[in-house]
Amino acid sequence: MFNFLAFVDMTMLVSGIKIALAALALLCTAFIIFIVMKQSGNSDGMEAMTGSSKNTDESETFYGKNAGSRKEARLKVLTYVAAGILAVCCIVMIVLQTFVD
């Protein structure tokens, strides 16, 4: 194992890691865009003024009301996780660019 690492050029290894991190950051970015677009927007109460209603017949049951909040909570957690992974990828890429090259 150590003999293999002795023959590997560090610049090639670092550039491979940078490419992998950039690809992961790109995937996280696309995932965040997709997840945020799937989330429903926050309402400021304007539907009461216009007379429209967001409630449908299926959301009037106990499980229907909770299903929406569970889905929104899951999407919110996925957004936080993907944003955290994106932030870590970017920080590691900056550190590699600054200190290793």
Side-chain angles (χ1 to χ4, degrees):
M1 178 73 178
F2 293 113
N3 291 337
F4 174 72
L5 292 177
F7 293 111
V8 174
D9 187 20
M10 273 309 265
T11 58
M12 293 293 290
L13 182 64
V14 170
S15 65
I17 291 172
K18 285 182 189 177
I19 290 171
L21 287 172
L24 184 61
L26 184 65
L27 287 174
C28 284
T29 305
F31 184 73
I32 289 171
I33 291 170
F34 176 74
I35 291 296
V36 167
M37 289 185 71
K38 283 194 60 91
Q39 292 178 7
S40 63
N42 292 336
S43 172
D44 57 355
M46 291 300 291
E47 64 266 1
M49 183 185 293
T50 60
S52 63
S53 175
K54 289 174 48 176
N55 293 337
T56 60
D57 291 336
E58 62 195 32
S59 68
E60 291 299 321
T61 64
F62 175 73
Y63 294 109
K65 288 182 181 179
N66 288 336
S69 64
R70 286 189 307 239
K71 179 183 173 189
E72 290 297 320
R74 192 174 340 124
L75 290 176
K76 187 183 285 190
V77 168
L78 286 174
T79 304
Y80 289 149
V81 168
I85 292 171
L86 178 63
V88 168
C89 286
C90 292
I91 290 170
V92 170
M93 284 174 37
I94 289 170
V95 167
L96 286 176
Q97 182 70 30
T98 304
F99 296 115
V100 176
D101 281 345

